[in-house]
Every structure is written in structure tokens, then in C-alpha cells.
Amino acid sequence: NNNNTVHYFEIVGQAFLWHQIRCIVTVLLMVGRGEEEPSVVTEFLDVSTNPRKPAYPLAPEDPLVLHDCGFHNLHISHSTLNLWHVTCDLERQWEETTLKAARIRNCIDKVLDG
């Protein structure tokens, strides 16, 4: 149980239901931890036997990151100014998060050093 382990899931579909990815990740992580048998995935895909989502707690949303989303035959354009604004906002968020992470790391190091 290493809390620093990163898992990568590539899930492809044409549409998703509310919290569907979090439900899928919950089941996959439970299988990976040995809390469920791998066969449960196939069982859940049989909608005649399992017409509803399984009754598991949702995977936490914070560590889940959407890296890509594509739409066939859809071309999105943007202005240079809008792209600049988005980039500036993302850089600001990155800087704030990096500084917060450095402060937390410093606290952890201080606690461990005694």
C-alpha cells in the first residue's frame, strides 16, 4: 500500500454518465487491491443481471485527472488573446500549487527531523 503510487487508466467512450469514471476506478482499484475478484468487472457489464451501478463508495475526485478529450469532426478555434489568458491562469495556478506543495514538504521534513 504505497500512497504515492500513480495509476493510469485510459477509458474511451462516446459519452459518460455522471460519476461513471469514479465508479469504474473504484471497482478497478478494489480488484487491484484484492478486495474484489477480476471477474466482477465482467459481471457488472451484464446489465440484465446488474441493471444499476454497484453500491460502492465513489473514488475520490481529487486525484483523478482528465488528460485528453477528443471530439470527432469538431474543430475548436480560439484567439491568441484567449489562449494567452488561459495560459496565464494555468501558470498562476501551477505556481500557487507548487508553492503550497513546497510548504507542505517543508512541514513534513520538519516533523520527520524531530
Side-chain angles (χ1 to χ4, degrees):
N1 281 342
N2 182 351
N3 290 333
N4 294 324
T5 301
V6 174
H7 302 282
Y8 174 85
F9 299 100
E10 183 171 338
I11 301 173
V12 178
Q14 294 183 359
F16 294 100
L17 300 173
W18 184 256
H19 294 312
Q20 183 176 1
I21 299 303
R22 290 175 65 189
C23 292
I24 292 169
V25 169
T26 294
V27 173
L28 293 177
L29 289 174
M30 291 179 77
V31 168
R33 289 190 299 250
E35 297 168 6
E36 284 288 357
E37 293 296 321
S39 60
V40 77
V41 175
T42 305
E43 291 170 20
F44 286 151
L45 293 175
D46 182 359
V47 294
S48 63
T49 307
N50 297 288
R52 293 176 188 81
K53 72 177 184 173
Y56 295 116
L58 292 175
E61 65 186 44
D62 291 342
L64 297 178
V65 178
L66 175 63
H67 283 282
D68 188 25
C69 188
F71 301 94
H72 297 290
N73 300 320
L74 177 66
H75 302 285
I76 300 173
S77 62
H78 47 70
S79 71
T80 304
L81 181 61
N82 284 345
L83 184 59
W84 181 78
H85 283 294
V86 168
T87 303
C88 287
D89 185 54
L90 289 172
E91 286 177 348
R92 180 192 54 75
Q93 289 180 49
W94 177 82
E95 183 178 307
E96 289 174 2
T97 304
T98 301
L99 292 171
K100 184 184 287 186
R103 288 191 300 271
I104 293 169
R105 178 80 257 166
N106 186 48
C107 289
I108 291 170
D109 291 344
K110 294 289 185 189
V111 168
L112 293 176
D113 289 343

